[in-house]
Amino acid sequence: MAITDAPRGAGRATPNAIESALAQFDRAADHLDLAPETRAILRVPKREWTVNFPVSMDDGHVEVFTGYRVQHNMARGPAKGGIRFHPATDLDEVRALAMWMTWKCALVNVPFGGAKGGVTVDPRKLSQNELQHVTRRFATELQGVIGPEIDIPAPDVGTNAQTMAWIMDTVSMHAGYTVPGVVTGKPVGLGGSEGRADATGRGVMFTAQRALREAGIDMNGATVAVQGFGNVGEAAARLIHEQGGKLVAITDVGGGVANPNGLDPAALKLRLSEHGTIAGAPGTEPIDNAGLLSADVDLLVLAALEGQITANNADAVHARVIAEGANGPVTPDADPILADRGIVSVPDILCNSGGVIVSYFEWVQNLQSFAWPADQVAERLRQVINGAYDEVSAMRQRDGIDARLAAQAIAVARVAEATQIRGRYP
Ligand code: GLU
């Protein structure tokens, strides 16, 4: 499991995740001329939980962990969104991530609201046994909060298919029967969908390919830098490489590697599994995050954490196209600086939506007790994400706005419509 600890907006004060999410929402609400009461409803989470729970560690001592689950909106269906294990996770970050999930699900038109969860923990410092106990106890604290018709978690930074298997098993033990639909991103042998593990990276590849094409660049032969080599970055790098993209720089939590003649993602994956980082891989030069973000490349894939490109470093970016594989990697104060310099961004809620699109497919397969083959999953993912890309392009051109505002406005309009049609209870 690789997570990236890149500094968040280091230097001059820049918006944090929740400030960014709210600034983006306000911009979309202004563009849509949203009614004040709808704006007030959508600006805040519907429900949120903070849980503190003890876990017996391997050496016998007891540690108290803090976890969060925020359900931002459920107007269009059950809440949906990942669970993050990261030392810097806090309630405000989870609030922002939950709001972004609401817009993401609405943009790609899957019948879900938005949620997110997190535990403040560095999973790299825990044994598998300790991780399992943290996960099972957190899932127990969320009893009644999560469920196939209420709120469906999935992997995020620092969690993976094994984490989802533990949550599914814990919920099933309490229910007294197997509840596969309570989480997505499970192992395939446990009702997970074919293609889910790669889905976010595959969506990044599809949308980056479209954006490059619009900029007159073929992915085949394009130079590419990737920040992050975890759930999203590794798959994106591999699939972009398969399309002929030339990977010239990649960073992860332990450092970074560069080679102007191209990097081999399979060799780096092996290096990661053996050394816990890609740094120091043979035949590569070291590169740090600042070097990667300012690399002169056709495509920069941001697949780490939020707040990576801010007003402080946007001037240094030299990529032609940015693909936002992470949530919130570019802050609102950086957007106009990048736009002025002619740099095109594929916004996060579009670019990284492949994960939740295939999560939706997994949930549907679980409810139907029927598994789809891998090629069908990949083809349906391609259709849904390309359809969303087309809608964003059409709105961008029609209203003369940037892709982020177009994506947010489409999403907010859908959630606002559902809210208005449902009316108010009581
Ligand atoms: N954590 C992923 C995201 O941020 C996936 C969420 C899901 O599949 O529910 O989109």
Side-chain angles (χ1 to χ4, degrees):
M1 175 189 322
I3 59 172
T4 301
D5 271 342
R8 295 176 193 201
R12 188 158 50 81
T14 55
N16 62 25
I18 189 66
E19 287 164 354
S20 294
L22 289 171
Q24 291 166 354
F25 168 72
D26 287 339
R27 211 171 148 235
D30 288 345
H31 185 75
L32 294 167
D33 204 11
L34 210 61
E37 64 268 24
T38 311
R39 190 190 282 248
I41 295 167
L42 300 185
R43 225 172 171 273
V44 289
K46 178 178 170 65
R47 301 171 180 156
E48 47 189 44
W49 290 262
T50 298
V51 295
N52 299 300
F53 54 92
V55 175
S56 299
M57 308 303 275
D58 290 349
D59 66 2
H61 88 281
V62 172
E63 209 155 301
V64 177
F65 291 88
T66 303
Y68 310 94
R69 186 75 185 169
V70 173
Q71 294 167 352
H72 171 258
N73 191 279
M74 300 165 105
R76 303 179 73 254
K80 186 84 190 79
I83 289 178
R84 165 174 299 202
F85 287 178
H86 193 277
T89 290
D90 62 17
L91 183 56
D92 265 349
E93 182 191 60
V94 176
R95 284 177 175 140
L97 293 162
M99 181 183 256
W100 283 324
M101 283 309 304
T102 301
W103 312 142
K104 194 185 305 183
C105 292
L107 175 63
V108 297
N109 223 349
V110 293
F112 289 137
K116 205 76 168 201
V119 177
T120 312
V121 60
D122 185 347
R124 290 170 301 140
K125 295 198 175 132
L126 267 51
S127 69
Q128 279 298 104
N129 182 52
E130 290 168 337
L131 263 182
Q132 175 166 186
H133 286 300
V134 167
T135 304
R136 286 186 181 277
R137 180 60 191 254
F138 182 49
T140 304
E141 298 292 340
L142 296 183
Q143 189 165 6
V145 170
I146 58 171
E149 287 164 336
I150 311 170
D151 178 359
I152 306 123
D156 196 80
V157 175
T159 58
N160 56 24
Q162 178 62 72
T163 324
M164 297 306 115
W166 289 329
I167 296 176
M168 185 271 223
D169 183 68
T170 304
V171 170
S172 300
M173 286 296 111
H174 289 205
Y177 53 89
T178 299
V179 190
V182 65
V183 284
T184 58
K186 298 177 290 295
V188 173
L190 207 59
S193 178
E194 292 286 353
R196 175 62 185 83
D198 284 356
T200 311
R202 191 174 295 278
V204 170
M205 182 271 284
F206 285 141
T207 55
Q209 200 166 37
R210 295 281 306 266
L212 283 169
R213 208 175 295 150
E214 280 182 43
I217 303 166
D218 194 338
M219 184 171 269
N220 188 0
T223 51
V224 185
V226 183
Q227 186 197 34
F229 203 64
N231 298 342
V232 181
E234 184 278 324
R238 173 165 35 86
L239 295 167
I240 288 168
H241 178 76
E242 270 176 32
Q243 296 298 316
K246 191 201 230 183
L247 302 164
V248 294
I250 305 181
T251 53
D252 79 358
V253 65
V257 292
N259 186 339
N261 299 316
L263 297 159
D264 173 11
L268 294 178
K269 194 174 178 185
L270 197 64
R271 174 86 191 176
L272 174 67
S273 67
E274 286 168 356
H275 292 79
T277 173
I278 58 173
T284 67
E285 295 295 320
I287 188 168
D288 62 11
N289 259 307
L292 178 120
L293 295 176
S294 59
D296 185 4
V297 286
D298 295 315
L299 174 65
L300 172 61
V301 178
L302 300 175
L305 291 170
E306 56 269 18
Q308 297 303 302
I309 297 180
T310 70
N312 291 333
N313 61 359
D315 279 335
V317 175
H318 285 97
R320 254 63 75 202
V321 172
I322 296 175
E324 299 182 2
N327 294 306
V330 178
T331 56
D333 57 2
D335 276 338
I337 302 173
L338 297 174
D340 280 352
R341 302 184 51 229
I343 300 169
V344 175
S345 291
V346 186
D348 49 3
I349 59 170
L350 174 62
C351 187
N352 71 38
S353 63
V356 81
I357 292 170
V358 176
S359 276
Y360 168 60
F361 297 161
E362 180 171 329
W363 181 75
V364 167
Q365 292 172 74
N366 291 158
L367 295 188
Q368 297 182 336
S369 301
F370 181 75
W372 305 354
D375 55 350
Q376 194 177 333
V377 172
E379 176 53 21
R380 288 196 182 196
L381 165 60
R382 196 187 64 78
Q383 284 173 15
V384 173
I385 205 163
N386 278 342
Y389 193 102
D390 288 340
E391 284 186 274
V392 171
S393 292
M395 174 138 189
R396 211 178 65 199
Q397 280 156 23
R398 194 192 65 205
D399 290 9
I401 55 178
D402 58 88
R404 186 177 323 279
L405 178 55
Q408 291 255 338
I410 291 168
V412 172
R414 284 192 181 138
V415 181
E417 184 191 6
T419 305
Q420 280 152 11
I421 297 170
R422 283 179 71 150
R424 255 174 307 286
Y425 174 87

